[in-house]
Structure formats: structure tokens, C-alpha cells
Amino acid sequence: GTTAARIVGSNVAKLADFDDTVKIWVHEELVDGRKLTDIINTEHVNVRYLPGHKLPDNVVAVPDAIEAVRDATHIIVVLPHQYIQHLLDTVHGSILPNASAISLIKGIGISDQGMTTMTQLIHRALAIPVSSLSGANIANEIAEEKYCETTIGCQDPDEAIVWRSLFNTPYFQVNCVADVIGVEFCGALKNVVAVGAGFIDGLRLGNNTKAAIIRIGFLEMRRLAMHIAGGGIQESTFMESCGLADVITTCYGGRNRRLAQEFVQTGKSMPQLEQELLDGQKLQGYLTAGEVHSYIDSCGVTDHFPLFTNIYQICYENKPPHTIFAGLNVDFSRDTKTPSPAL
């Protein structure tokens, strides 16, 4: 969230159609006896979650979510997906009727009743149009202004231009597609694949094995997305930054991969590792693995997703990590733009 505010704060200062001030909602906490919001607003650095990177002076931290959205025409939603409903309940009734939002949340709600994306959840709660942004975007590298790409999913072409103007920079290149749900699916499911990649790193099985897990995971991502949403997802979305590129970078550089490696090498649980190593940040991969399994198990199709099933069993049922290879000889050749005929 801080990285996004850094980009948007810099861009709005150059855009005549936007107010100069970018409010960022910050969960208030004390750092060395000082309020985090005070530190951000005086030193212009989020010392807790993005240390060492200056924020533009026009980025203002506020501890009240309602204050953060007051009078805003464009709302950027960035937080761990397990907390989204509480936020929506808090700001409900405080949003301008002509506002629009964009979700940067890497999560999805899947249960035996079906699937809900974050944009759908936000739209139902706030009754405003919602787009999505996801890509091969590790926050620290973006803050260091290393070149990368991202994908915005937005159904309204005019609104897509606005969102692109807020996020696009010479080092953060934005491509817009109309496939909002496809962008979201990629952003959520790649974290499950990254957990599998981390298991391989923990087992010290090398690059060939890791590449195989990444390939199979990518195909299971696509199969699950097509199974749930069918023709509502564009095949080409999987080749955008939000798709293949994000899978690659997350499986080599993301925190889901790192903690999955530690899970294998230390024997500690994911929640324990999250608490010890992430300094207040949250994992999405193992949570999404549980949600995905709930859905595919209720549909009776776990055998069509052996990698996702194995990752779930290792995370939640104490199966040994080497069982990740069980049943991986799956034929994906019949998967098309519609759900797999086998499903």
C-alpha cells in the first residue's frame, strides 16, 4: 500500500485534474514510542513497512479509514484479503456516489457456495465500479524504481485511462485489459504456486524440479479460473504481467516462497513463521490454498488439481513436503477457453 501511495502521490502532483493530497489509511501503532502516522507525516517514510524510501510530501497518513475515503473520487484498496470485510463495513455510507475504486488485493473468496472476487465484494458493499491491478510487482523493487510491468483490469475504457495515469511511470509500466476477474484470479492463485515453489527450495531439489512445479501450477491456475468463470476470463490475460510474469517473480522472490522454504527446513507452522519473519505483514498463499481446496473438494474435482491439493495437504494436514509430487501426471491438453471437458 505504501509503495502504491508513493507512485500515485508523485503522479497526482503532475496531473491537473486531481487534488494534490493523497490520503493513506494507516493502522495506527507505536514505533519507538511514536505514532506511525506522525512519523510518516513528519519524516515522510513508512519506517514500519517501507523503510528507507521517501514518500512525496503530499502523501498524508491518517489512522481513520472514513477520513481516508472522505470526498475521494478514486479509492485504492490495498490490504490482506482476510481484513477486507471489516474495512468495507467501516467505510460503508461514507463513499461518494460517483467514486470508483481499484483493488490491489491478492486474494479471492472461495467456498463450497462458490467464488467471490475482491472487486465483486467491494462493488456489492459500496455500489461503485471497481477495477483490479496485479502484476510481477515486489514492493521493495518498485520502491527502488527498478523497471517492471503491471496489469490493470478495467471494463470502462475511459476509466482505464484515468487509472493508468495514476499508476504509470517510466519504471512502472501499466497495461490495461478489460478482464477484471482474470487479473484478480491470477493475482490470488499465483501465491499458491509460490508456496509449492518454496517447498521445492526447502527440499533443495534444484531448478529443473522448481520449473516443473511452476509450469504445472500455472496450468492449474488457468484450469481453475476457467472452471469457475468459464468464458468470463480471457485466455490472453494469463500472458500479461498479472499472469505468467507474476508467477515467475513470486516463485523466485516473494515472501510466500520464502516462508514455504522455511516451513520445510524448520518444521514450524505457517502462522508461526508469519509472526516471526514478516514483521506484521500477512501471507496470502497458504490461506488461498485452503480456500481453493474448499471449493474444488465441494465440486468433487480435487483429482484435476493434484498440485493445489498436495500443497493444501502439506500446509493443513501435515503431509510431508516430498508428497508434493503425488499424482502430478495430469493431461492439460484439452483445456481451452471454456472449462476443461474433464470437469
Side-chain angles (χ1 to χ4, degrees), residues 191 282 285 314:
N191 285 324
K282 296 295 181 181
I314 294 167

Side-chain angles (χ1 to χ4, degrees), residues 328-339:
L328 292 190
N329 187 22
V330 176
D331 180 13
F332 293 95
S333 63
R334 291 193 295 165
D335 287 4
T336 62
K337 289 186 177 181
T338 57

Side-chain angles (χ1 to χ4, degrees), residues 205-283:
L205 292 178
N207 290 321
N208 291 346
T209 305
K210 187 171 179 178
I213 292 300
I214 292 171
R215 187 193 75 87
I216 295 168
F218 180 73
L219 292 173
E220 288 197 12
M221 278 174 52
R222 187 177 65 177
R223 174 176 278 190
L224 181 59
M226 297 297 183
H227 178 58
I228 294 175
I233 290 180
Q234 299 171 10
E235 181 81 10
S236 59
T237 302
F238 293 94
M239 302 310 296
E240 293 287 342
S241 179
C242 65
L244 180 60
D246 200 8
V247 172
I248 293 170
T249 198
T250 306
C251 287
Y252 280 91
R255 58 180 177 262
N256 287 281
R257 183 219 63 80
R258 179 164 68 95
L259 264 71
Q261 178 179 343
E262 292 289 332
F263 174 88
V264 173
Q265 294 178 342
T266 66
K268 296 178 180 179
S269 69
M270 289 289 189
Q272 183 179 355
L273 290 168
E274 180 183 75
Q275 184 175 18
E276 291 178 1
L277 301 178
L278 292 189
D279 195 27
Q281 293 181 313
K282 296 295 181 181
L283 277 181

Side-chain angles (χ1 to χ4, degrees), residues 77-262:
V77 188
V78 198
L79 76 169
H81 79 282
Q82 58 265 42
Y83 302 128
I84 182 61
Q85 189 60 59
H86 176 71
L87 173 65
L88 295 175
D89 292 342
T90 300
V91 302
H92 179 75
S94 302
I95 306 294
L96 291 178
N98 64 330
S100 60
I102 191 167
S103 170
L104 279 62
I105 301 172
K106 303 300 189 290
I108 212 160
I110 303 179
S111 68
D112 53 5
Q113 279 79 42
M115 173 276 298
T116 302
T117 68
M118 295 299 104
T119 60
Q120 290 171 332
L121 195 64
I122 297 166
H123 173 69
R124 290 169 187 168
L126 305 181
I128 60 175
V130 188
S131 303
S132 58
L133 182 151
S134 188
N137 305 144
I138 294 176
N140 285 335
E141 294 184 15
I142 299 170
E144 292 166 4
E145 300 188 2
K146 296 177 179 178
Y147 181 87
C148 67
E149 299 176 308
T150 199
T151 312
I152 286 179
C154 182
Q155 293 181 334
D156 183 337
D158 293 332
E159 192 67 15
I161 293 172
V162 176
W163 285 121
R164 186 177 188 277
S165 72
L166 288 172
F167 283 99
N168 193 68
T169 75
Y171 63 87
F172 191 69
Q173 293 287 291
V174 177
N175 187 43
C176 296
V177 299
D179 186 6
V180 179
I181 293 178
V183 171
E184 286 187 278
F185 261 115
C186 289
L189 297 179
K190 56 93 179 187
N191 285 324
V192 182
V193 183
V195 172
F199 290 160
I200 300 305
D201 288 340
L203 293 166
R204 297 185 174 90
L205 292 178
N207 290 321
N208 291 346
T209 305
K210 187 171 179 178
I213 292 300
I214 292 171
R215 187 193 75 87
I216 295 168
F218 180 73
L219 292 173
E220 288 197 12
M221 278 174 52
R222 187 177 65 177
R223 174 176 278 190
L224 181 59
M226 297 297 183
H227 178 58
I228 294 175
I233 290 180
Q234 299 171 10
E235 181 81 10
S236 59
T237 302
F238 293 94
M239 302 310 296
E240 293 287 342
S241 179
C242 65
L244 180 60
D246 200 8
V247 172
I248 293 170
T249 198
T250 306
C251 287
Y252 280 91
R255 58 180 177 262
N256 287 281
R257 183 219 63 80
R258 179 164 68 95
L259 264 71
Q261 178 179 343
E262 292 289 332

